[in-house]
């Protein structure tokens, strides 16, 4: 693997990525079913160490192929996913999310698209009318083996593809102006995100709790280092929280963010900045929700990870 990553880079990265994806695919059923017997437990620890080495020495490799790796990691293995999503370009200095009055809209990197070497899956169909059904796996052995009714890779592809297309359709001359207006205080028409937000909102409302959790996880997978992808998906997450008519939706959004931040470090920059905005911006009335106050330990945990 070191030769694939260093000799003739980045052409060799394709093969290193395939090897790592195959490793994660092999481990996926054991991880999903929590069958960490001694051999698999040792393999899991070794994989974590490998990812940490890649994060330290080949961080751009993890950056560019984050989508392929997250596609095959079970949603419950948060630390493994966090390591991958923490990766950022070598020449980038991440601003401290806890900096007072930090305006992410004004960061130059928030207007630059990240490199995504992975391919998203495309599935032609009358889109909205069949979307919910297309996200389901066939009711046979495939669904049973996957451990879920939903096609998780397709959900991940859909969220990333919609975000990428939305950014590409922004007028280039007005991208910086529109990005500066991407706050939940302005009308949707100003930044031409209406269709993407409407799609995400439709999925959040119409899918059941499992499907909603998977969609929110797919959005959270794009909260990485400063880029226009992080900016858009951070805004989408906050928008969905702000516009939710059911508190169960706001509770699930909180769960997706908090469970990732409760895991061992490192934590992705975009994840931290989104969570701090949610709990500190009075517009979201975060601390007034019943699911925060129902159990003192919950409020204590949230306050602890927000420091």
């Amino acid at each position: 693997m070191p030769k694939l990553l260093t000799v003739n880079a980045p052409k060799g990265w394709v093969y290193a990525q395939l090897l790592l994806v195959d490793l994660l695919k092999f481990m996926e059923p054991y991880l999903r079913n929590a069958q960490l017997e001694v051999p698999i437990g040792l393999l899991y620890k070794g994989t974590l160490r490998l990812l940490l080495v890649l994060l330290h020495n080949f961080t751009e490799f993890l950056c560019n192929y984050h989508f392929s790796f997250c596609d095959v990691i079970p949603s419950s293995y948060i630390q493994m996913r966090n390591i991958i999503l923490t990766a950022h370009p070598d020449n980038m200095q991440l601003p401290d999310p806890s900096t007072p009055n930090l305006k992410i809209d004004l960061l130059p990197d928030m207007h630059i698209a990240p490199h995504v070497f992975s391919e998203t899956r495309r599935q032609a169909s009358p889109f909205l009318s069949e979307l919910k059904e297309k996200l389901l796996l066939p009711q046979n052995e495939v669904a049973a083996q996957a451990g879920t009714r939903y096609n998780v890779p397709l959900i991940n592809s859909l969220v990333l593809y919609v975000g990428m297309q939305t950014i590409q359709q922004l007028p280039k001359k007005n991208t910086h102006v529109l990005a500066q207006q991407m706050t939940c205080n302005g009308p949707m028409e100003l930044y031409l995100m209406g269709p993407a937000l409407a799609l995400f909102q439709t999925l959040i409302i119409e899918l059941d709790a499992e499907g909603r959790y998977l969609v929110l996880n797919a959005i959270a997978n794009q909260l990485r280092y400063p880029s226009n992808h992080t900016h858009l998906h951070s805004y989408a997450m906050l928008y969905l929280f702000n516009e939710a008519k059911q508190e169960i939706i706001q509770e699930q959004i909180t769960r997706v963010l908090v469970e990732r931040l409760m895991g061992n470090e490192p934590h992705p920059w975009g994840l931290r900045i989104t969570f701090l905005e949610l709990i500190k911006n009075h517009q979201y009335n975060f601390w007034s929700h019943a699911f925060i106050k129902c159990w003192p330990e919950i409020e204590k945990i949230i306050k602890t990870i927000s420091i």
Side-chain angles (χ1 to χ4, degrees):
M1 181 172 279
K3 290 186 178 180
L4 291 176
L5 294 171
T6 55
V7 179
N8 201 22
K11 292 183 179 179
W13 290 6
V14 177
Y15 303 102
Q17 173 252 340
L18 291 174
L19 288 172
L20 188 52
V21 166
D22 284 343
L23 170 62
L24 295 172
K25 281 183 176 179
F26 171 78
M27 295 175 60
E28 192 274 339
Y30 299 100
L31 298 179
R32 172 165 42 83
N33 297 317
Q35 296 176 349
L36 295 184
E37 298 179 1
V38 175
I40 298 299
L42 291 173
L43 183 60
Y44 172 69
K45 291 179 181 179
T47 304
L48 282 182
R49 291 175 181 174
L50 172 62
L51 291 175
L52 288 170
V53 171
L54 292 174
L55 178 63
H56 186 267
N57 296 318
F58 301 98
T59 182
E60 295 207 26
F61 169 71
L62 290 183
C63 280
N64 296 335
Y65 287 104
H66 82 285
F67 183 80
S68 298
F69 301 142
C70 288
D71 243 5
V72 291
I73 297 176
S75 58
S76 57
Y77 280 77
I78 295 164
Q79 184 181 10
M80 184 177 285
R81 185 183 291 106
N82 275 350
I83 292 173
I84 294 169
L85 298 180
T86 301
H88 58 82
D90 291 324
N91 59 354
M92 178 177 288
Q93 293 292 328
L94 299 181
D96 185 354
S98 60
T99 302
N101 301 317
L102 177 64
K103 302 293 184 182
I104 66 170
D105 313 346
L106 304 181
L107 297 176
D109 290 323
M110 297 303 271
H111 314 303
I112 301 174
H115 294 295
V116 180
F117 288 1
S118 308
E119 293 185 2
T120 56
R121 295 166 176 78
R122 300 187 182 185
Q123 199 159 330
S125 66
F127 193 62
L128 286 176
S129 61
E130 298 182 7
L131 180 58
K132 184 177 177 181
E133 289 72 21
K134 290 294 182 181
L135 295 180
L136 294 171
L137 289 170
Q139 294 182 354
N140 53 25
E141 295 181 1
V142 176
Q145 292 175 357
T148 176
R149 299 190 304 127
Y150 289 92
N151 187 333
V152 179
L154 184 59
I155 292 176
N156 292 337
S157 294
L158 174 65
V159 169
L160 178 60
Y161 182 78
V162 168
M164 292 171 65
Q165 291 301 309
T166 300
I167 291 170
Q168 289 179 8
Q169 291 174 14
L170 291 174
K172 292 184 178 180
K173 293 182 179 179
N174 298 327
T175 300
H176 291 275
V177 176
L178 294 172
Q180 291 174 11
Q181 294 171 335
M182 283 173 68
T183 65
C184 286
N185 298 320
M188 248 186 337
E189 307 85 67
L190 288 177
Y191 36 83
L192 306 180
M193 287 180 60
L197 294 176
L199 174 62
F200 292 153
Q201 196 168 35
T202 299
L203 291 174
I204 293 301
I205 293 173
E206 293 190 359
L207 294 178
D208 59 12
E210 180 188 7
R212 186 162 54 239
Y213 177 74
L214 295 172
V215 171
L216 293 172
N217 260 306
I219 296 174
N221 284 346
Q222 305 310 317
L223 302 178
R224 303 191 290 146
Y225 59 88
S227 68
N228 54 14
H229 284 199
T230 295
H231 198 185
L232 183 145
H233 291 93
S234 175
Y235 175 81
M237 189 75 84
L238 295 171
Y239 174 87
L240 293 172
F241 186 95
N242 200 46
E243 296 296 316
K245 304 302 181 185
Q246 302 173 358
E247 193 162 77
I248 184 61
I249 296 176
Q250 295 166 322
E251 183 177 352
Q252 274 198 294
I253 291 173
T254 303
R255 174 196 169 183
V256 167
L257 297 175
V258 168
E259 69 183 5
R260 292 177 179 231
L261 289 167
M262 286 180 62
N264 295 331
E265 292 185 343
H267 300 134
W269 180 88
L271 177 69
R272 294 177 60 199
I273 206 76
T274 302
F275 182 69
L276 290 175
E277 175 69 13
L278 178 63
I279 66 175
K280 291 184 176 181
N281 191 331
H282 298 296
Q283 176 182 345
Y284 303 111
N285 296 316
F286 180 80
W287 299 104
S288 66
H289 291 286
F291 62 85
I292 301 296
K293 300 179 178 180
C294 68
W295 199 255
E297 280 74 8
I298 295 177
E299 187 173 358
K300 183 179 179 180
I301 289 172
I302 293 176
K303 287 182 177 179
T304 299
I305 64 178
S306 65
I307 297 176

